[in-house]
Amino acid sequence: MFALAKASIRHHRGGFAGVFVAVFLCAGLITAMGVLIETGLRGGTAPQRLQGADVVVGAPQALPVVEDVDAPFAERVLLPAGVVADIGAVPGVERAVGTIELPLAAPDGTAVSAAAWESAALAPYKLSSGKPPQQATDVVVDGSFEADPGSRLVLAHGGVPTEYTVSGVAAPEAGDPGSASPAVFLSSAGAAALWPHGETVATVGVITEPGVEPKQLAVAIEAQVTGIVGYIGDRRGDVENLGGSAARSALLLFSGSLAGVALMTAVFVTAGTLSLSVLGRRREFAMLRAVGAGANQTLGIVVREVLLVSGAAAVLGAVPGYWLAGFLGERFTAADVLPEYFQLAFSPLPALAAVLISIAAAVAASLVAARGTVRAAPTTALREAVTEKSSLGRGRVITGLTLLGGGLFASAVPVAVPGTAGLAAAASGILLLVIGAGALGPWLVTGALKLVQPLVRRHASASLVLAEAAASAFPRRLAAGIVPLTLAIALGSVQFFMPATIETEAKRQSGDGMVAGYLVSAPGSGISNELAETVAAVPGVETVSPVARSAILAETRFLGMEDGMQSYAVLGLAPQDLDGALDLDVREGSLDRLADPGTVALSADLARESGTAPGGGGSFPSTTATEPRRPPSSSPPTSGDWGSGTSRWPMTRCAATPPLA
């Protein structure tokens, strides 16, 4: 049977070329998505500033969600400073060092992450010249600053420049820079003066005693100290850079969704290509049946043909899938979905899964495409090789009409249910429409031909008339070639244009809500109170409204049922003179009590999805107003030493009106 299948493939090379290309692309896409899914499970950023610590201890940085991926916090949850001593008392700990991260900016605007000199041992760094910082204005830098001990260096904090004295130059002990950004170390007094969170630390780096296993020590620390999580190996990078953990969660969602779409597109295209090939070989199958071949034998030849072609295509297609995964990783990094230096996880498993899935999809498509044709009576197959009927089975018609109706209904849901729930329903609607259109493909092609038939038959072109006649005689064959291409374009258009549409609308709403003439910010961090007061004192400035940006996790509901936790951008506003900088277009309630403790104003979408109203509760203590526009579309920070629920500085931006003179 395989020898006969090989001979048939050589004889029908043109028909199987389409199957080969479809499976080749399917295997490449699934391999790339598999690499991204595996990266979401075990990839991330390697430790840099904390690579010298055997164990890194931090607070839980995500909210557990039942039967779903944990929702990461936008801001770092800090630890009490007393935890450092508790961890240091655990048997097996040689040294425990509390760490903080301070955002500074160089004179050219480059963001610089600074820390206390004690944490230099965790990088690990050692002095190559000079001495450790002693005074609040002393600083130790690495060689990238090209500064010598005793020289002066200007660094800005909160937008306010300060001149520091370079007391020493540090170098990594192992010759590895240890950090992707320039290293700056302050004295304990200097770091404490800039740290806005009081007696807290971001993480605790632990150096183990000789002979102690980091994994066992991490378990012991978690058992003896409550409210902490121990990280070892590459997982240390998760607590050092919170963006890595959040990126893995987002990567799992994105890659899983794209993998499903890629697989469904490949199945449709492969099934359509095989249907076109099988329908063109009806006479051949009829002759095989006429000379005594059974239906299962004929079907077995088709399956073996597809197995050979798809097997070769899948193996070859998996190879460029790894290159595609790297390319997508670079695009995700450029779009800030993945943090810089995020490492993809490569292994043979995605390629193996892609080969098996692609071959299984192709074989299943061949069974669907050829089952009816090879089981037809020889006389019926010979007759339909000349002209075929366009009628469909009752089950196929009912299924197609039901899916189309469900897809149209789901697409109209955003009209009645705006917000995330409506958007999710519309995105699901396209899948129903695509499958329904595939089921009713011959009907749709026949209907389109009947619409253009009066115009075509009156045309003077003989080739056009003959083409219409051939298409009308073989509507199934034409549908097998048109429908997969149409469905692939439809799915691709949804994937490409829906995010762009949402982003454009978010930018428009953000622009409509901002009426200030200028936005004042500082590189690397927000601006300090002193700088905000300086801006307010500039001649020509009428109003200054401080704005802090972050994100919250809100419990949303759909049709009265719990839908999960969603992340929403949040703005911290000073209610005085707010109208001069922002137009929130309040629809219900007021902003008069916004400064009261435990009070929040929600967008209309969030208020609807969380089931709250002015004066009500729910996921929020109380609500005084709802406004229809979402917060500006710029994403809140996902890493850094932030306290939960509070911004790093009193304000991160300053809106000024009218325009500065």
Side-chain angles (χ1 to χ4, degrees):
M1 294 291 285
F2 274 104
L4 185 59
K6 292 179 182 179
S8 179
I9 292 173
R10 288 193 296 268
H11 185 66
H12 299 285
R13 290 190 297 268
F16 285 106
V19 177
F20 183 92
V21 172
V23 176
F24 179 89
L25 296 177
C26 175
L29 286 173
I30 294 178
T31 300
M33 295 303 106
V35 171
L36 297 181
I37 291 175
E38 186 177 11
T39 300
L41 294 174
R42 65 183 187 88
T45 56
Q48 297 170 356
R49 293 179 292 104
L50 302 177
Q51 63 174 302
D54 299 305
V55 180
V56 178
V57 178
Q61 304 296 334
L63 179 67
V65 180
V66 180
E67 297 181 355
D68 202 349
V69 179
D70 292 349
F73 296 128
E75 301 176 0
R76 183 184 296 277
V77 181
L78 303 177
L79 293 171
V83 170
V84 179
D86 297 338
I87 295 174
V90 175
V93 175
E94 178 180 314
R95 184 181 178 187
V97 180
T99 69
I100 60 176
E101 182 184 358
L102 299 168
L104 303 180
D108 60 356
T110 303
V112 176
S113 179
W117 172 246
E118 289 76 7
S119 63
L122 304 176
Y125 274 87
K126 65 178 181 179
L127 284 174
S128 60
S129 62
K131 59 181 181 179
Q134 301 294 332
Q135 305 299 322
T137 56
D138 288 347
V139 63
V140 171
V141 298
D142 64 5
S144 64
F145 286 89
E146 298 181 352
D148 297 323
S151 60
R152 309 291 288 179
L153 180 65
V154 177
L155 297 173
H157 174 259
V160 179
T162 302
E163 190 175 55
Y164 289 88
T165 300
V166 178
S167 64
V169 177
E173 290 185 358
D176 187 352
S179 176
S181 60
V184 175
F185 299 100
L186 304 174
S187 65
S188 299
L194 301 181
W195 180 243
H197 301 299
E199 296 297 323
T200 60
V201 294
T203 58
V204 180
V206 177
I207 299 176
T208 64
E209 294 180 349
V212 177
E213 289 292 332
K215 184 176 181 180
Q216 298 177 355
L217 183 59
V219 173
I221 292 174
E222 291 180 352
Q224 298 188 34
V225 182
T226 60
I228 56 93
V229 179
Y231 300 83
I232 60 174
D234 289 341
R235 289 301 185 190
R236 294 172 296 171
D238 290 350
V239 69
E240 178 181 329
N241 183 359
L242 298 185
S245 179
R248 283 206 311 274
S249 300
L251 203 58
L252 281 174
L253 297 176
F254 290 163
S255 54
S257 175
L258 290 175
V261 172
L263 179 60
M264 187 167 61
T265 303
V267 169
F268 271 115
V269 173
T270 304
T273 305
L274 285 169
S275 296
L276 189 61
S277 175
V278 169
L279 292 174
R281 298 168 59 190
R282 278 179 172 175
R283 186 182 298 274
E284 175 186 334
F285 293 143
M287 295 301 296
L288 288 174
R289 295 292 308 281
V291 298
N296 291 334
Q297 290 177 314
T298 307
L299 185 61
I301 293 175
V302 176
V303 171
R304 286 171 173 82
E305 292 171 350
V306 173
L307 187 62
L308 292 174
V309 174
S310 62
V315 172
L316 294 176
V319 176
Y322 287 99
W323 172 86
L324 179 60
F327 175 78
L328 291 176
E330 293 176 356
R331 296 303 91 200
F332 284 147
T333 301
D336 293 332
V337 176
L338 299 179
E340 196 174 4
Y341 305 104
F342 190 89
Q343 299 175 352
L344 299 183
F346 292 97
S347 76
L349 292 179
L352 179 61
V355 170
L356 295 177
I357 293 174
S358 301
I359 294 176
V363 172
S366 69
L367 292 174
V368 174
R371 184 171 178 271
T373 300
V374 301
R375 290 191 174 185
T379 55
T380 302
L382 287 172
R383 181 176 65 252
E384 292 185 353
V386 179
T387 180
E388 61 187 14
K389 59 181 181 179
S390 60
S391 60
L392 301 176
R394 178 178 299 178
R396 184 172 178 177
V397 171
I398 294 175
T399 301
L401 291 177
T402 302
L403 291 174
L404 288 179
L408 292 174
F409 176 80
S411 301
V413 168
V415 177
V417 185
T420 306
L423 184 62
S428 302
I430 184 61
L431 299 180
L432 300 178
L433 291 173
V434 163
I435 300 174
L440 301 178
W443 263 20
L444 299 177
V445 171
T446 302
L449 290 174
K450 288 182 178 180
L451 291 176
V452 301
Q453 196 175 65
L455 299 176
V456 172
R457 291 188 174 180
R458 295 179 184 177
H459 202 275
S461 174
S463 59
L464 185 61
V465 174
L466 291 175
E468 185 277 330
S472 299
F474 299 98
R476 290 177 178 267
R477 193 177 304 180
L478 184 61
I482 292 178
V483 171
L485 181 61
T486 304
L487 300 184
I489 294 174
L491 285 173
S493 298
V494 171
Q495 293 295 321
F496 280 109
F497 297 133
M498 180 177 288
T501 302
I502 296 174
E503 182 180 2
T504 300
E505 177 61 17
K507 288 182 178 179
R508 185 193 66 80
Q509 293 186 14
S510 177
D512 291 345
M514 182 64 65
V515 298
Y518 285 94
L519 287 177
V520 181
S521 62
S525 66
I527 63 176
S528 63
N529 284 327
E530 294 80 359
L531 184 56
E533 294 173 356
T534 302
V535 173
V538 173
V541 175
E542 179 182 350
T543 303
V544 170
S545 298
V547 179
R549 298 183 184 275
S550 184
I552 59 171
L553 294 175
E555 185 179 274
T556 58
R557 297 181 177 274
F558 179 62
L559 298 179
M561 299 180 293
E562 184 176 340
D563 190 42
M565 301 298 298
Q566 298 289 337
S567 177
Y568 285 86
V570 61
L571 299 179
L573 306 173
Q576 63 273 14
D577 300 324
L578 183 60
D579 294 337
L582 297 173
D583 178 17
L584 298 181
D585 193 13
V586 177
R587 300 291 182 84
E588 191 176 355
S590 70
L591 300 177
D592 296 339
R593 295 177 50 204
L594 188 59
D596 293 351
T599 304
V600 65
L602 304 181
S603 68
D605 288 344
L606 179 53
R608 184 187 304 108
E609 293 174 3
S610 60
T612 60
S619 299
F620 303 93
S622 63
T623 305
T624 60
T626 59
E627 48 89 10
R629 298 191 181 105
R630 291 184 182 274
S633 60
S634 58
S635 300
T638 57
S639 64
D641 298 314
W642 290 37
S644 180
T646 60
S647 65
R648 188 189 316 231
W649 305 115
M651 60 203 67
T652 61
R653 286 191 177 184
C654 181
T657 56
L660 297 173

